[in-house]
Amino acid sequence: MPPRTTDSAPERRDDDHQRPDQETDAERSAGRSQGQAGLGTDAGADAGRGGGPAAEAGDGPHPAPAGGAEGGTGAGHDTDPVPGAAGTGGADSPDMEARAANGPDTGTGTGTGPDAESTPGTHDRPRAGNESAAEGEPDGHGGSGPRSENDADADERVAAVRRAADGGRRWRAAHLAGCAALLAVALTGGAVAFGGDGDGRAGAGVEAVSAAGALAPGVLARGDLDSGIGSLQKHLRAQPRDFGSWATLGTAYVEQARTKGDPSRYPQAERALKRSLELDPGNDQALAGRAALAAARHDFTGALKDADRALKQNPYNERALCTRIDALVELGRYEEAAEAARTADGRRPGVPVFTRYAYVKELRGDVRTARDVLERALEAADSPADIAYVATALGQLAWNQGEYETALDHYARALAADEDYLPALEGRARAQAASGDRAAAVEGLEQVVTRFPLPGPLVALGELYEDRGADGDRAKAGDQYALVDAWTSLARAGGVNADLDSAMAAADHGDKKEALRAARAEWNRRHSVHTADALAWALHVNGRDDEALPYARRATATGYRNAAFLYHRGIIERATGNEREARDHLKAALDLNPGFSPLGAREARTALKDLEGTR
């Protein structure tokens, strides 16, 4: 699945510098029951596992997901919102490991104004030449096509979960009344963040901007990005010197780029954030938004720098705290990432921090703690966005361990909360493929790539076509791989560093020399387990196995339980004559997750059979 980390994360109201347990006059007047204005953006990565599943691009588990972010997204990944902790924070806040046993604190939560930028206007296509920079009205969200009989079993599972959840949801709603929820996703390469309360439906009750320039509470937090952006654009035409709204608009564009898979939004975000900083240099909203933008573009060094600058202005800025964790994860600085997660937990405990902490634990091989943290976060989740995000992260974790039925149950819960949640739809398709239901998997991924044509699902669908081998399937697979190249070009035009995605996709399905060039370039920027794996595999497909082996070993050195990494290492060890180690790692890959990739798993089984025959 795409990596678990996020390209950016939800945070506290940007004009609010006090501790998380303190309420501003504006918050009181707005009414807690509506949730706080805000939006977290996750991209990056995970993400990863992203990315939350649908991470834009990053270091998600490969080869299954060629896109996503390390801790993206997941699910990068790459990764959304989060229940905050009422009256908690600071030095007295219990640590996350304790919460894994006792459940995360819940309560008032924290909203986050999307920090972003761009110029209001009436067109949102990319500009050419000296055309006006005014940004346009956003397009509507695409809907999914009709469901076929292949989805009948999955739909029954979702319906059953939805019925069972109704009573529990009413109890949680009463128990957590007044809680503002933000959900941080991760899809590396990503990342994904929705958040807030309400029913999570686009277009639900979006009102205009207040006189002070802040979005009405919960507008962006409910995921009403298009309407929220339209309101911001209208407000900024009347109040062009409102630096806070420029920052919010910029971050909203970052999130819109993620949700629409449209990197052309990033230049719009950059202009809006720049405008905010011109009006009020050093304001933490815009700095945190710029950090989120840098993470979305996979400039993790820049993201870390801007997150630190924002936190110097406001130590409780939630988006900056979370983006800082993401950046450290993506740079491969895992011990520092764990410390950053502990710091963020002390200041702003909630789902964005819990999910990042869980991913750091998973990367270190501590799957049990990662699962416990996510399960407690799910217990605390109340809004549909929160439930969909955390349940998807649990589904990704289960899939990564080869627990397909458990994964399908988690995805069913996510889709019961939000039937159009793309990371859950993608994750369900992958789990269906791994458990043998290829027809449903193909249909599911076809729906996903129609709406969200990112490298991870494109490569996964192409490999399913190749594995099926029906008439025309090879051509269909080639079409998917060609779309990866098209997305890469679009991403680069939007300022995104797409080398990791390019390296992983090209190594198996494209120009092998380009794969090696891209992998080397990415390794020169950051030393994560995902970049080590990408470079090892790119060296292997170019016949340079002796050079590849140290990187393959480094990719598995943290204890991260990833079947694709073990498979890559085993194949490289076989090529270098280390047959005993090759058998061990190929067997470990297939024991862990025998459906990690339709083509990779087939090659692993063939290689292991050959090695067993020569013993």
Side-chain angles (χ1 to χ4, degrees), residues 152-464:
D153 291 342
D155 288 344
E156 285 183 18
R157 190 190 300 250
V158 170
V161 172
R162 184 177 284 123
R163 288 192 297 271
D166 282 343
R169 187 176 296 118
R170 285 192 291 271
W171 178 87
R172 284 195 304 274
H175 182 65
L176 299 176
C179 214
L182 283 175
L183 179 64
V185 172
L187 342 101
T188 177
V192 167
F194 303 110
D197 56 355
D199 64 2
R201 293 290 181 186
V206 178
E207 298 300 332
V209 186
S210 71
L215 279 178
V219 168
L220 292 182
R222 283 195 297 269
D224 303 331
L225 277 173
D226 290 350
S227 297
I229 286 172
S231 294
L232 279 167
Q233 291 169 338
K234 180 179 179 181
H235 168 74
L236 285 167
R237 283 192 287 270
Q239 301 289 337
R241 299 189 62 79
D242 182 349
F243 70 88
S245 288
W246 279 115
T248 299
L249 181 61
T251 301
Y253 278 127
V254 174
E255 173 66 359
Q256 195 174 53
R258 183 196 63 74
T259 58
K260 292 181 180 293
D262 181 5
S264 68
R265 304 277 179 177
Y266 292 137
Q268 295 177 284
E270 184 175 10
R271 290 192 293 272
L273 293 165
K274 180 180 179 182
R275 180 60 176 154
S276 177
L277 288 167
E278 287 172 347
L279 291 167
D280 185 15
N283 77 83
D284 69 284
Q285 309 176 57
L287 289 171
R290 199 163 71 176
L293 174 61
R297 285 171 155 174
H298 300 163
D299 173 13
F300 299 109
T301 300
L304 182 60
K305 179 180 178 181
D306 280 327
D308 283 339
R309 289 182 63 194
L311 291 170
K312 186 174 181 180
Q313 298 296 320
N314 176 9
Y316 296 96
N317 185 308
E318 188 176 39
R319 180 174 293 111
L321 287 166
C322 290
T323 302
R324 187 170 193 276
I325 302 168
D326 297 341
L328 289 167
V329 165
E330 299 289 352
L331 290 168
R333 294 159 60 175
Y334 301 125
E335 292 300 329
E336 293 174 78
E339 180 59 33
R342 286 189 286 270
T343 298
D345 179 58
R347 296 177 186 175
R348 302 302 300 272
V351 170
V353 176
F354 298 155
T355 52
R356 286 165 171 82
Y357 177 76
Y359 188 60
V360 171
K361 282 292 185 182
E362 184 188 357
L363 286 170
R364 304 296 294 184
D366 189 353
V367 173
R368 180 175 180 177
T369 298
R371 181 183 292 113
D372 287 347
V373 171
L374 290 173
E375 286 175 347
R376 297 302 180 179
L378 185 58
E379 288 176 6
D382 180 47
S383 73
D386 289 346
I387 295 167
Y389 167 65
V390 183
T392 296
L394 279 163
Q396 291 176 342
L397 183 62
W399 180 87
N400 226 21
Q401 312 310 310
E403 300 166 358
Y404 306 135
E405 285 301 312
T406 299
L408 286 168
D409 286 342
H410 288 308
Y411 293 132
R413 183 162 186 186
L415 293 168
D418 181 352
E419 64 186 9
D420 295 322
Y421 189 53
L422 284 168
L425 290 169
E426 180 187 346
R428 182 175 71 178
R430 291 182 185 274
Q432 287 168 332
S435 57
D437 191 354
R438 186 169 56 195
V442 167
E443 183 173 353
L445 282 173
E446 286 174 340
Q447 292 178 0
V448 169
V449 300
T450 296
R451 299 164 56 194
F452 203 1
L454 297 184
L458 286 169
V459 169
L461 180 57
E463 291 194 348
L464 280 174

Side-chain angles (χ1 to χ4, degrees), residues 82-165:
V82 41
T88 65
D92 296 329
S93 176
D95 66 24
M96 283 170 286
E97 300 227 22
R99 285 198 192 87
N102 302 320
D105 302 319
T106 58
T108 56
T110 59
T112 132
D115 306 354
E117 176 235 353
S118 155
T119 316
T122 57
H123 309 285
D124 69 353
R125 67 184 187 281
R127 308 284 164 182
N130 297 320
E131 189 173 354
S132 169
E135 307 307 340
E137 298 300 329
D139 358 332
H141 296 291
S144 59
R147 301 181 181 273
S148 80
E149 293 179 5
N150 285 331
D151 289 327
D153 291 342
D155 288 344
E156 285 183 18
R157 190 190 300 250
V158 170
V161 172
R162 184 177 284 123
R163 288 192 297 271

